[in-house]
Amino acid sequence: MLTVIGIGPGSEAMMTEEAVTALKEAEVVVGYKTYTHLVKPLVGDKEVIKTGMRKEIERCYLAIELAQEGKNVAMVCSGDAGIYGMAGLILEIVTKEKRDIQVRVVPGITASIAAASLLGAPLMHDFCHISLSDLLTPWEVIEKRIKAAAEADFVICFYNPRSLGREGHLARAFELMAPFKAATTPIGVVKAAARKKEEKWITTFGEMEYERVDMTSLVIVGNKSTYISDDLMITPRGYKL
């Protein structure tokens, strides 16, 4: 059995009971080293296999091979296993190579949901997720998605917004959105949601400070109806009050 577990954004309080139970039942835990550290209190003396950044394919094959040996394996992912997580890659390998193992996917709280709860209620109407990492997606494709989402007036959640290797991607995203976003459009940023160094702030499109954002941040861009009140970011769904 191979269980792909979404462990949420960082704290045990934001893990589902199903995720906690699956971790406790596993014989071996596999994951990116940061994520295995986050679940260390739940893992105890189980065997833990961890890999570094950009070792996703290697990590998946390790988990699959251990499961084929008859072990109960847990593959841990931050947030939700099926949103920028490992569920897709695991299932691709298993189905394409016809691996004879059972795979179960356990959902978790993704970063946008965790961030939204800290900011207020910015996701009350249609929204989308866009990753600004171009490691696996051509930047030209990402630019098209940004412009289309902004023109359609979606609330936009930016994952992987800024890193040492992609310092200008977030600023470029804002340039692409500028024709469709007023300077007063609310922007919410949450850094390290549900972790020890959690930080949040609300600003506007015209006053956005890109330098404060890093890879642990989630940036939420409001739509035309989103407003700020009492340090809360709120997107009305359309109820008549």
Side-chain angles (χ1 to χ4, degrees), residues 181-187 202-207 221-228 233:
K181 298 290 182 183
T184 54
T185 301
I187 307 293
I202 295 174
T203 183
T204 62
F205 194 91
E207 297 179 349
V221 180
N223 66 16
K224 287 183 173 65
S225 298
T226 307
Y227 64 94
I228 300 169
M233 185 175 174

mmCIF file of all heavy atoms in Angstrom, residues 181-187 202-207 221-228 233:
data_model
loop_
_atom_site.group_PDB
_atom_site.id
_atom_site.type_symbol
_atom_site.label_atom_id
_atom_site.label_comp_id
_atom_site.label_asym_id
_atom_site.label_seq_id
_atom_site.Cartn_x
_atom_site.Cartn_y
_atom_site.Cartn_z
ATOM 1 N N LYS A 181 -6.380 45.433 -13.439
ATOM 2 C CA LYS A 181 -6.472 45.601 -11.992
ATOM 3 C C LYS A 181 -6.280 47.066 -11.608
ATOM 4 O O LYS A 181 -5.294 47.700 -12.004
ATOM 5 C CB LYS A 181 -5.405 44.755 -11.269
ATOM 6 C CG LYS A 181 -5.528 43.252 -11.490
ATOM 7 C CD LYS A 181 -6.746 42.676 -10.789
ATOM 8 C CE LYS A 181 -6.835 41.166 -10.979
ATOM 9 N NZ LYS A 181 -8.048 40.598 -10.357
ATOM 10 N N ALA A 182 -7.187 47.590 -10.811
ATOM 11 C CA ALA A 182 -7.033 48.954 -10.301
ATOM 12 C C ALA A 182 -5.928 48.979 -9.254
ATOM 13 O O ALA A 182 -5.618 47.957 -8.620
ATOM 14 C CB ALA A 182 -8.344 49.419 -9.679
ATOM 15 N N ALA A 183 -5.338 50.144 -9.063
ATOM 16 C CA ALA A 183 -4.267 50.286 -8.066
ATOM 17 C C ALA A 183 -4.764 49.986 -6.662
ATOM 18 O O ALA A 183 -3.990 49.622 -5.775
ATOM 19 C CB ALA A 183 -3.677 51.687 -8.131
ATOM 20 N N THR A 184 -6.054 50.120 -6.448
ATOM 21 C CA THR A 184 -6.647 49.893 -5.120
ATOM 22 C C THR A 184 -7.052 48.423 -4.878
ATOM 23 O O THR A 184 -7.568 48.100 -3.810
ATOM 24 C CB THR A 184 -7.886 50.782 -4.943
ATOM 25 O OG1 THR A 184 -8.790 50.539 -6.041
ATOM 26 C CG2 THR A 184 -7.507 52.256 -4.911
ATOM 27 N N THR A 185 -6.846 47.569 -5.848
ATOM 28 C CA THR A 185 -7.212 46.152 -5.699
ATOM 29 C C THR A 185 -6.488 45.546 -4.495
ATOM 30 O O THR A 185 -5.259 45.632 -4.397
ATOM 31 C CB THR A 185 -6.831 45.351 -6.961
ATOM 32 O OG1 THR A 185 -7.506 45.899 -8.092
ATOM 33 C CG2 THR A 185 -7.194 43.878 -6.800
ATOM 34 N N PRO A 186 -7.208 44.937 -3.557
ATOM 35 C CA PRO A 186 -6.568 44.355 -2.378
ATOM 36 C C PRO A 186 -5.659 43.175 -2.717
ATOM 37 O O PRO A 186 -5.974 42.351 -3.578
ATOM 38 C CB PRO A 186 -7.744 43.896 -1.522
ATOM 39 C CG PRO A 186 -8.892 44.739 -1.963
ATOM 40 C CD PRO A 186 -8.683 44.908 -3.426
ATOM 41 N N ILE A 187 -4.533 43.125 -2.012
ATOM 42 C CA ILE A 187 -3.570 42.028 -2.136
ATOM 43 C C ILE A 187 -3.295 41.483 -0.744
ATOM 44 O O ILE A 187 -2.998 42.252 0.185
ATOM 45 C CB ILE A 187 -2.223 42.505 -2.745
ATOM 46 C CG1 ILE A 187 -2.440 43.249 -4.067
ATOM 47 C CG2 ILE A 187 -1.264 41.324 -2.893
ATOM 48 C CD1 ILE A 187 -2.950 42.396 -5.199
ATOM 49 N N ILE A 202 -1.723 42.760 4.454
ATOM 50 C CA ILE A 202 -2.654 43.130 3.393
ATOM 51 C C ILE A 202 -2.231 44.474 2.837
ATOM 52 O O ILE A 202 -1.933 45.410 3.588
ATOM 53 C CB ILE A 202 -4.103 43.183 3.915
ATOM 54 C CG1 ILE A 202 -4.560 41.778 4.338
ATOM 55 C CG2 ILE A 202 -5.051 43.736 2.845
ATOM 56 C CD1 ILE A 202 -5.929 41.738 4.992
ATOM 57 N N THR A 203 -2.176 44.570 1.521
ATOM 58 C CA THR A 203 -1.768 45.809 0.872
ATOM 59 C C THR A 203 -2.664 46.017 -0.359
ATOM 60 O O THR A 203 -3.754 45.452 -0.422
ATOM 61 C CB THR A 203 -0.269 45.754 0.499
ATOM 62 O OG1 THR A 203 0.130 46.994 -0.066
ATOM 63 C CG2 THR A 203 0.047 44.623 -0.457
ATOM 64 N N THR A 204 -2.226 46.823 -1.287
ATOM 65 C CA THR A 204 -2.990 47.030 -2.523
ATOM 66 C C THR A 204 -2.092 46.775 -3.725
ATOM 67 O O THR A 204 -0.862 46.727 -3.609
ATOM 68 C CB THR A 204 -3.538 48.467 -2.608
ATOM 69 O OG1 THR A 204 -2.438 49.388 -2.639
ATOM 70 C CG2 THR A 204 -4.454 48.775 -1.448
ATOM 71 N N PHE A 205 -2.727 46.637 -4.866
ATOM 72 C CA PHE A 205 -1.994 46.367 -6.102
ATOM 73 C C PHE A 205 -0.932 47.439 -6.358
ATOM 74 O O PHE A 205 0.196 47.133 -6.718
ATOM 75 C CB PHE A 205 -2.983 46.311 -7.279
ATOM 76 C CG PHE A 205 -2.417 45.716 -8.533
ATOM 77 C CD1 PHE A 205 -2.535 44.361 -8.782
ATOM 78 C CD2 PHE A 205 -1.777 46.512 -9.478
ATOM 79 C CE1 PHE A 205 -2.010 43.805 -9.939
ATOM 80 C CE2 PHE A 205 -1.249 45.965 -10.633
ATOM 81 C CZ PHE A 205 -1.368 44.611 -10.867
ATOM 82 N N GLY A 206 -1.291 48.674 -6.133
ATOM 83 C CA GLY A 206 -0.367 49.771 -6.412
ATOM 84 C C GLY A 206 0.745 49.934 -5.398
ATOM 85 O O GLY A 206 1.739 50.618 -5.671
ATOM 86 N N GLU A 207 0.597 49.337 -4.226
ATOM 87 C CA GLU A 207 1.597 49.484 -3.163
ATOM 88 C C GLU A 207 2.320 48.172 -2.842
ATOM 89 O O GLU A 207 2.978 48.050 -1.815
ATOM 90 C CB GLU A 207 0.928 50.024 -1.896
ATOM 91 C CG GLU A 207 0.337 51.414 -2.084
ATOM 92 C CD GLU A 207 -0.352 51.930 -0.828
ATOM 93 O OE1 GLU A 207 -0.543 51.138 0.108
ATOM 94 O OE2 GLU A 207 -0.696 53.123 -0.808
ATOM 95 N N VAL A 221 -4.480 37.845 -4.980
ATOM 96 C CA VAL A 221 -4.867 39.085 -5.656
ATOM 97 C C VAL A 221 -6.389 39.113 -5.768
ATOM 98 O O VAL A 221 -6.997 38.188 -6.315
ATOM 99 C CB VAL A 221 -4.237 39.161 -7.062
ATOM 100 C CG1 VAL A 221 -4.652 40.463 -7.760
ATOM 101 C CG2 VAL A 221 -2.718 39.060 -6.972
ATOM 102 N N GLY A 222 -7.010 40.152 -5.250
ATOM 103 C CA GLY A 222 -8.466 40.241 -5.250
ATOM 104 C C GLY A 222 -9.067 40.514 -6.622
ATOM 105 O O GLY A 222 -8.346 40.813 -7.586
ATOM 106 N N ASN A 223 -10.400 40.404 -6.692
ATOM 107 C CA ASN A 223 -11.095 40.769 -7.930
ATOM 108 C C ASN A 223 -11.691 42.172 -7.780
ATOM 109 O O ASN A 223 -11.397 42.872 -6.806
ATOM 110 C CB ASN A 223 -12.147 39.715 -8.309
ATOM 111 C CG ASN A 223 -13.300 39.643 -7.319
ATOM 112 O OD1 ASN A 223 -13.518 40.535 -6.493
ATOM 113 N ND2 ASN A 223 -14.071 38.564 -7.409
ATOM 114 N N LYS A 224 -12.547 42.566 -8.715
ATOM 115 C CA LYS A 224 -13.087 43.935 -8.692
ATOM 116 C C LYS A 224 -13.992 44.206 -7.492
ATOM 117 O O LYS A 224 -14.213 45.353 -7.115
ATOM 118 C CB LYS A 224 -13.851 44.220 -9.989
ATOM 119 C CG LYS A 224 -12.969 44.405 -11.207
ATOM 120 C CD LYS A 224 -13.800 44.757 -12.440
ATOM 121 C CE LYS A 224 -12.920 45.123 -13.633
ATOM 122 N NZ LYS A 224 -12.119 43.994 -14.110
ATOM 123 N N SER A 225 -14.513 43.148 -6.877
ATOM 124 C CA SER A 225 -15.416 43.320 -5.735
ATOM 125 C C SER A 225 -14.704 43.210 -4.385
ATOM 126 O O SER A 225 -15.274 43.584 -3.351
ATOM 127 C CB SER A 225 -16.524 42.262 -5.789
ATOM 128 O OG SER A 225 -17.299 42.406 -6.959
ATOM 129 N N THR A 226 -13.493 42.693 -4.368
ATOM 130 C CA THR A 226 -12.774 42.483 -3.114
ATOM 131 C C THR A 226 -12.476 43.816 -2.439
ATOM 132 O O THR A 226 -12.123 44.793 -3.096
ATOM 133 C CB THR A 226 -11.449 41.736 -3.374
ATOM 134 O OG1 THR A 226 -11.714 40.536 -4.116
ATOM 135 C CG2 THR A 226 -10.758 41.364 -2.071
ATOM 136 N N TYR A 227 -12.639 43.841 -1.120
ATOM 137 C CA TYR A 227 -12.348 45.075 -0.384
ATOM 138 C C TYR A 227 -11.636 44.759 0.930
ATOM 139 O O TYR A 227 -11.570 43.610 1.367
ATOM 140 C CB TYR A 227 -13.626 45.881 -0.126
ATOM 141 C CG TYR A 227 -14.641 45.200 0.776
ATOM 142 C CD1 TYR A 227 -14.665 45.455 2.157
ATOM 143 C CD2 TYR A 227 -15.593 44.323 0.266
ATOM 144 C CE1 TYR A 227 -15.598 44.853 2.988
ATOM 145 C CE2 TYR A 227 -16.528 43.718 1.086
ATOM 146 C CZ TYR A 227 -16.526 43.984 2.447
ATOM 147 O OH TYR A 227 -17.447 43.386 3.270
ATOM 148 N N ILE A 228 -11.093 45.810 1.547
ATOM 149 C CA ILE A 228 -10.391 45.684 2.827
ATOM 150 C C ILE A 228 -11.198 46.406 3.889
ATOM 151 O O ILE A 228 -11.610 47.558 3.694
ATOM 152 C CB ILE A 228 -8.979 46.291 2.748
ATOM 153 C CG1 ILE A 228 -8.136 45.586 1.672
ATOM 154 C CG2 ILE A 228 -8.271 46.207 4.104
ATOM 155 C CD1 ILE A 228 -6.832 46.302 1.351
ATOM 156 N N MET A 233 -9.443 41.003 4.371
ATOM 157 C CA MET A 233 -9.609 41.000 2.922
ATOM 158 C C MET A 233 -10.870 40.184 2.617
ATOM 159 O O MET A 233 -10.933 38.991 2.940
ATOM 160 C CB MET A 233 -8.376 40.374 2.267
ATOM 161 C CG MET A 233 -8.352 40.413 0.765
ATOM 162 S SD MET A 233 -6.755 39.780 0.174
ATOM 163 C CE MET A 233 -7.032 39.758 -1.589
#
